[in-house]
Amino acid sequence: MTGTLPPPHPGLTDGPVYLDYNATTPVDPRVAEAMAPYLTVFFGNPSSSHPYGAEPGRVLADSRERVAALIGARPPEIVFTSSGSEANLLALRGAVLAAGRPRPHVITQTTEHPAVLETARALERLHGARVTVLPVDGTGLVDPAALAAALTGETVLVSVMAANNETGALQPITELAALAGERGALFHCDAAQAAGKLPLDVRRLGVDLLTVVGHKMYAPKATAALYVREGVRLEPVVYGGGQERGLRAGTENVALAVALGTAARLAVDELADGGAVRAAALRDGLQRRLTEGLPGRVRLNGPAAARLPNTLNVSIDGAVGHELLTACPQLAASTGSACHSGSHEPSPVLTAMGLPAERARGALRLSLGRWSHERDTETAAAALVHAAAALR
């Protein structure tokens, strides 16, 4: 198996087996070490012309280069933001307001992250936008023909995620972006889950806007970036001093930019070292152990091939997801349902894929990462098999 394992993570040594990397990742100690001096010693404003601003200004530019290198962009095309949700807001709101049309048309799809879906609804409510939400098939994928049929001369933006956070389904972004471009619409891709897990190149994808999120790739929370292709006009999300190409005012958080840049560099190295192959092998081994331990009861949710290498979403016949995890305190993972006031509702993602409510409520999302080992998958499979057998 390819891929070099880092030293043990101090945050994972005494807890349950962590299989929730799609929710958030532990901060890599190398990332924390790189950002620390910019919280203490190098405190200056990166826009200052005196010596205290020199090092912050230099490292901010260096971090921009590293994030750009991760996705095949140019450094000036990277805009630092405080979160993926803010980056998505800048992309959608920025494109719609900059278009200057009385009834701009926006297209997205039904299994997008709420940061996109709720922004689209707000644009509809507050700015008169028309929003088309495309359906997905039984594996969670958008049909390019559906997008082609939905595009009109008034479409200003299409927003489709690279990879789904629950199933790992990989959308056909290159084909979808080409269709949007043919009709003169911008294409935004939320790559929060894909960046760092798979090689990405914004030129080959043909996207105009792309979101990268730090806490999905071993940087702290509250650091992210939006790729904005040169020549794309956006209305700013924060007004003020002109930082970040005038799109996101406010003195930059240099330490968090360093964290994102360092995480991007580590991700480039890890991908080159076969990290995606290693993750897929662990994922497939976990699926195999579950299938062998619970013959005829394990159902894969999402595509078998076109999915993230680290993500396994399965339902186990005769079991409910949250009850399974409650019976497995040695595991930390997610279910396919959302709990509201004690009532467990089926995942909107799995429901949109057409899965029955019982199967959706039985779903588990098991996501692996940098510190996952084969012994973790063995422990997880054994615990889930035992719990599923007892619950049935």
Side-chain angles (χ1 to χ4, degrees), residues 14-58:
D14 297 322
V17 172
Y18 191 68
L19 294 177
D20 209 14
Y21 281 84
N22 283 11
T24 197
T25 55
V27 176
D28 192 301
R30 294 167 290 183
V31 171
E33 181 181 10
M35 70 182 288
Y38 302 94
L39 292 169
T40 53
V41 178
F42 302 111
F43 64 88
N45 188 321
S47 298
S48 297
S49 57
H50 53 64
Y52 287 100
E55 174 58 15
R58 182 202 66 78

Side-chain angles (χ1 to χ4, degrees), residues 20-25 113 161-166 168-170 190-198 200 211-213 215-217 308-311 365 367:
D20 209 14
Y21 281 84
N22 283 11
T24 197
T25 55
H113 191 277
M161 61 176 22
N164 186 264
N165 51 302
E166 291 191 31
L170 300 175
D190 181 350
Q193 292 292 344
K197 296 173 186 168
L198 290 172
L200 293 177
T211 297
V212 175
V213 178
H215 81 99
K216 305 297 188 182
M217 46 187 278
L308 289 171
N310 79 314
T311 304
R365 182 188 68 182
S367 51

Side-chain angles (χ1 to χ4, degrees), residues 105-359:
H105 182 219
V106 175
I107 301 175
T108 185
Q109 57 92 21
T110 187
T111 63
E112 286 293 311
H113 191 277
V116 167
L117 293 173
E118 292 303 317
T119 298
R121 293 187 181 107
L123 289 169
E124 192 173 41
R125 186 174 70 251
L126 301 174
H127 298 286
R130 292 186 302 110
V131 177
T132 298
V133 180
L134 300 176
V136 295
D137 65 16
T139 63
L141 298 180
V142 173
D143 183 354
L147 174 60
L151 286 161
T152 74
E154 295 301 310
T155 306
V156 298
L157 179 76
V158 178
S159 182
V160 177
M161 61 176 22
N164 186 264
N165 51 302
E166 291 191 31
T167 66
L170 300 175
Q171 299 289 355
I173 296 300
T174 302
E175 188 175 357
L176 297 174
L179 289 169
E182 289 170 3
R183 299 300 298 271
L186 296 176
F187 192 95
H188 166 250
C189 178
D190 181 350
Q193 292 292 344
K197 296 173 186 168
L198 290 172
L200 293 177
D201 188 309
V202 292
R203 310 295 175 194
R204 293 178 183 174
L205 290 172
V207 299
D208 303 289
L209 302 152
L210 183 136
T211 297
V212 175
V213 178
H215 81 99
K216 305 297 188 182
M217 46 187 278
Y218 310 99
K221 300 161 188 67
T223 182
L226 179 68
Y227 157 73
V228 183
R229 180 178 58 77
E230 184 179 6
V232 170
R233 291 179 55 250
L234 298 177
E235 180 70 15
V237 70
V238 180
Y239 304 95
Q243 294 89 348
E244 300 302 306
R245 290 173 50 185
L247 295 175
R248 205 261 184 188
T251 303
E252 295 92 345
N253 190 320
V254 175
L256 287 178
V258 170
L260 186 59
T262 304
R265 177 182 61 79
L266 293 173
V268 169
D269 294 343
E270 188 173 52
L271 287 169
D273 192 38
V277 176
R278 175 182 174 274
L282 289 173
R283 176 202 67 192
D284 294 344
L286 176 57
Q287 183 176 350
R288 183 178 64 255
R289 289 185 176 94
L290 289 172
T291 301
E292 292 172 352
L294 298 165
R297 293 181 62 189
V298 178
R299 315 292 177 190
L300 177 66
N301 301 320
R307 57 179 161 142
L308 289 171
N310 79 314
T311 304
L312 176 64
N313 190 303
V314 293
S315 295
I316 298 175
D317 289 350
V320 179
H322 71 91
E323 293 178 356
L324 274 176
L325 292 184
T326 299
C328 297
Q330 63 271 58
L331 304 182
S334 292
T335 68
S337 64
C339 182
H340 302 287
S341 302
S343 175
H344 291 268
E345 298 297 328
S347 155
V349 169
L350 301 182
T351 301
M353 290 163 52
L355 299 188
E358 182 179 1
R359 179 166 164 181

Side-chain angles (χ1 to χ4, degrees), residues 365-380:
R365 182 188 68 182
L366 309 171
S367 51
L368 302 124
R370 186 169 289 168
W371 282 274
S372 297
H373 293 260
E374 187 169 1
R375 64 176 177 270
D376 294 330
T377 65
E378 293 170 353
T379 299

